[in-house]
Structure formats: C-alpha cells, structure tokens
Amino acid sequence: MKDTLKKILEILVPLIFLGGMIFVRTQLSFESFDYKNSNFSFFWLAGRMLLDGENPYDQTQFLAGHATYGIEWQPNKIFPYPLPLAIFCVPLGFLSIKHAYILWTVVTLTIIAITIFILLRQWESAAHRRLLIPLFASMIFFGPLYLTLHIGAIGAFTVASLLTAIRLLEKNKTILAGITLSLTMLKPPQGLTILVLAAVWFLARRDWKAIFGMAIGGVSLIMIGLIQDPLWIDKFRGASEAVMDRTQGVHSNVWGFAYLICKGGAPCSMLLGGTLALILLGLGGFFLWQKAAPAKATVWEAFNVILPIAFVSTIYLWAYDQLVYIIPIVWIVGTLVERTKSYVYAFLFLIMLDLFSLYALSQHATTSNDMWSLGTTIIVLGMVMGLLLHRIKLDPTKDIPLHA
C-alpha cells in the first residue's frame, strides 16, 4: 500500500507543480501580450484563411484578413513562412485569435515539459528524475523561451520534430527519422544548416535510409505547397528577401558580425559571412565525421553539436529560434549531475545561462540588435564540446550519492 501511494505521489506531485507553472506563465503572457500585433497573428491568420478557402500567399487576401480581424501590424504582404507551414496552423484557425494564443502558449510549455521528461529518462536514476521540476522552472526564465511566449513563435514545433527524430534514430527507424527531421525546413534558414550537418553525420554512419527519409520529406513539403499555390516557391523567395533586407546586421550569427565588420558593405559582408559559415560547417562536419561510430557519440550527443553550429552558421536567426537548445541543455545538466555527483554545478550552469540569455534579450529590446544572443550559443556549444572531449569513465554499477 505504501509503495503504491509513493508511486502515485511521484507522478501526481510533479504534475501539480508543472501544471501550476504552466497556468501562471500562460496567465502572465495573456495579460501582458498584444497577440493581435505579433508573429503569432501570422500563424493564426494563415490557418484561418485555409479554413475559409483562401490563400495566405495571395497578397490581397492576406492584407484583407488583417483588416477583417483587426490586425494592425502589417510588415509582410503575404504569409512570410513556407506555405506548407500554413497547414500545421489550421488547428489554430478553428479558434478565435485570443483563445488560439492561450492554447498555443499551453501547448508550447507542455512540449517543453515533455521534452525535458523524455530526455531525462535516458538516465535511469532518481537523481535525474528530480531534475524535471527545477529544469522546467529554469527554462521559464530562459531568454529564448521567454521571447517565444512573448511573440507567439512556433519554436516548440521544431523542438518536438527534433526530439521525435532523435528518438526514432535511437530506435533505428531511420527513414521516419529523416522524414521528421525534414520538417525543420518549415523554417528554411535554420532547417537547411541542420540538415546539412545531419547529412554529413548520416553519410559517415552509412545511414542511407535517413538521407532518403530527408529527401522524401523535403520533396513532400514542396509538393504540398505546389498543390496549394504553384508559384509558392517564387513568392516565398520574394517575401524572404524583403525580410532579410530590413533585418540585415542584427542577427546572432557569423553573418551578423560579418555585416558589422564590413560596415554593411554588400560584397564584403556576404563574402566574409559565407566564408565564416562554411568554415564552421566544415569544422562541425569534420567533428561529426570523427564521432560517427556509436561508441564515440550517441544520437543525442551528435545533435547537441549539430544544433548550435547550425544556428551560428545560418544566415537568419533570432533568439527565439534558440528554443531548440533545450535539447543540449538537458544533456549538459544531466551529464554534470552524473559526473560530479552533485546538483551544484548543474544549477550554477542553469543560473548563468538564464542570466546571460535574459541580458541578451534586454539588449535586443533596447537596441533592436540581437547579436548578444550569440553568447547563448557559445555557452551551450562550449559546454557540450567540453563535456564530450573530457569524458570520465563511470562504473555503471556504482550508486551516485548526490548532495546539493
């Protein structure tokens, strides 16, 4: 009876804490956020337009939708994301924009909680299970998640896609993993560099099925868009160029710093940014090739390297895109606890990461420049590389007596 009650409490207590934090954070977001004039309005409007039989890539219909639903902010003439993404936004369109925003906030936080829970289960110890609540609480103050909730971004969808792909790869369901991984192309600048590095790793492992899966997924997304609008690729390219023109030199990647070094000079900044991006992708690809054997790096560890290198190399990036760093962050925290037999270093890392990411966010808010967020990438990638390069052999039969 006592054992049964203990198991129930072990499940119930975390759920109560998680539910409470999700409720409070959702309430705060709803009360303090103008969801009608934000990125979220684009996703909601795209979903609503498809339900109404309209095309988010039709300029007249898209702008008319803004007027119909009282969306005053109109920085784009059409839906500024790949057209297939609009299909995933259809569930939001069934609700009013107010209730859709509340739902998406809850879904985002729930995906983060589930991601932390699933990843922590890789360690079969009570010490790591206890990290669920403090890790989730820390992520609420993590700059990229804060910004994601503040503007209603869809980074949680990318997190879910990556987590699913990692789990499928771990189970050797590589074709499905490749298809799932291709969904990152719904945000092409980030998805492209992720897929490039993943493809290098798959090639080194001779995992042709995963590469085939990525190709199937990519072609499927293109075809879905073509069915909706035969000219969608050309229209998306035009919309992307307009976005890039008004945001050059403010991103937390090598392209942004190349733009700064070259003082905005077009040939110089493009050449320098491209060169730096290729160098980083090359170094990242070389490291992944060297670690292709399962004994040298797990699937999770490979993606812990892929994500930050892909993001610092991509041409377009905002702090909220760094939400996917939750995947390497959980690994860093879990590994620190495993190796140090203490929570101290893990918590110090989380505190440092939260403080810096919030500082970077404050700089973005005051200067409209997101370059400080590069530090978040450096912290995460530095910790991942440091822990990977300095492995400590542990006796798996030995208990880990943790102290705070």
Side-chain angles (χ1 to χ4, degrees):
M1 182 65 178
K2 288 183 178 179
D3 290 340
T4 302
L5 181 61
K6 182 180 178 181
K7 290 181 180 179
I8 293 173
L9 289 175
E10 285 178 350
I11 296 173
L12 191 60
V13 171
L15 284 177
I16 291 173
F17 273 98
L18 289 172
M21 285 189 282
I22 290 173
F23 174 80
V24 172
R25 188 63 185 86
T26 301
Q27 187 72 17
L28 288 172
S29 294
F30 176 68
E31 292 177 352
S32 61
F33 178 54
D34 182 11
Y35 46 83
K36 273 194 174 183
N37 297 295
S38 69
N39 287 29
F40 181 76
S41 65
F42 307 148
F43 305 119
W44 176 84
L45 181 58
R48 175 58 66 92
M49 289 181 69
L50 288 186
L51 288 175
D52 292 338
E54 296 180 321
N55 180 3
Y57 269 25
D58 184 296
Q59 179 177 327
T60 302
Q61 293 178 357
F62 189 69
L63 295 179
H66 283 69
T68 300
Y69 299 107
I71 301 171
E72 298 177 359
W73 190 43
Q74 300 181 16
N76 307 291
K77 295 180 179 180
I78 63 171
F79 183 54
Y81 296 91
L83 189 53
L85 180 58
I87 293 176
F88 293 91
C89 299
V90 166
L92 298 174
F94 281 106
L95 304 172
S96 67
I97 188 170
K98 167 185 173 182
H99 292 105
Y101 173 69
I102 294 173
L103 173 64
W104 182 242
T105 302
V106 173
V107 169
T108 295
L109 290 168
T110 301
I111 288 174
I112 297 304
I114 292 172
T115 298
I116 295 171
F117 173 76
I118 290 174
L119 292 176
L120 285 176
R121 289 184 64 188
Q122 302 281 55
W123 290 279
E124 298 178 357
S125 72
H128 287 85
R129 288 197 297 272
R130 297 188 198 108
L131 288 168
L132 175 60
I133 300 301
L135 247 174
F136 182 76
S138 173
M139 287 301 96
I140 287 180
F141 296 97
F142 182 46
L145 179 56
Y146 182 93
L147 187 58
T148 292
L149 297 175
H150 184 66
I151 68 169
I154 59 166
F157 177 80
T158 307
V159 172
S161 299
L162 287 165
L163 176 65
T164 303
I166 289 170
R167 296 296 290 146
L168 287 169
L169 286 168
E170 290 172 343
K171 296 178 181 180
N172 291 318
K173 298 180 179 179
T174 54
I175 291 182
L176 285 176
I179 293 172
T180 305
L181 199 57
S182 71
L183 293 177
T184 59
M185 281 300 293
L186 291 173
K187 295 204 72 176
Q190 295 83 40
L192 179 61
T193 49
I194 290 173
L195 294 185
V196 166
L197 289 173
V200 171
W201 189 60
F202 292 147
L203 280 171
R205 291 162 60 95
R206 304 295 190 270
D207 194 343
W208 311 113
K209 290 182 179 180
I211 296 173
F212 182 58
M214 289 195 302
I216 292 174
V219 171
S220 298
L221 290 175
I222 292 173
M223 294 305 298
I224 289 171
L226 291 175
I227 291 171
Q228 294 175 267
D229 187 332
L231 300 176
W232 84 267
I233 296 176
D234 188 56
K235 291 179 180 179
F236 173 67
R237 183 169 61 248
S240 299
E241 289 174 355
V243 172
M244 284 298 301
D245 287 343
R246 65 173 184 260
T247 60
Q248 283 187 352
V250 300
H251 301 125
S252 57
N253 52 28
V254 293
W255 297 86
F257 280 88
Y259 187 89
L260 182 64
I261 292 170
C262 295
K263 299 180 180 179
C268 171
S269 60
M270 291 301 293
L271 286 172
L272 180 58
T275 301
L276 292 174
L278 287 174
I279 290 172
L280 283 174
L281 289 171
L283 290 173
F286 178 77
F287 181 84
L288 290 166
W289 193 280
Q290 297 295 108
K291 299 292 182 180
K296 294 183 177 180
T298 65
V299 175
W300 187 6
E301 289 169 348
F303 276 88
N304 291 341
V305 175
I306 288 171
L307 293 176
I309 292 179
F311 276 31
V312 79
S313 305
T314 188
I315 195 168
Y316 185 83
L317 180 76
W318 293 107
Y320 53 77
D321 294 310
Q322 295 175 338
L323 182 63
V324 300
Y325 288 177
I326 182 66
I327 292 171
I329 287 169
V330 175
W331 181 84
I332 292 168
V333 169
T335 303
L336 285 172
V337 169
E338 180 183 42
R339 294 186 184 180
T340 65
K341 304 178 179 65
S342 170
Y343 292 118
V344 171
Y345 296 100
F347 289 167
L348 286 175
F349 164 72
L350 288 173
I351 292 170
M352 174 187 67
L353 184 67
D354 282 351
L355 289 176
F356 182 85
S357 65
L358 288 174
Y359 173 75
L361 205 59
S362 70
Q363 292 301 302
H364 183 189
T366 55
T367 66
S368 297
N369 191 309
D370 195 33
M371 287 186 179
W372 276 97
S373 292
L374 178 65
T376 304
T377 298
I378 293 173
I379 292 171
V380 172
L381 180 59
M383 288 296 296
V384 167
M385 296 300 290
L387 290 170
L388 282 176
L389 295 173
H390 296 86
R391 292 184 181 275
I392 299 175
K393 292 184 178 180
L394 299 174
D395 183 354
T397 64
K398 185 178 180 180
D399 293 332
I400 302 177
L402 286 161
H403 55 83

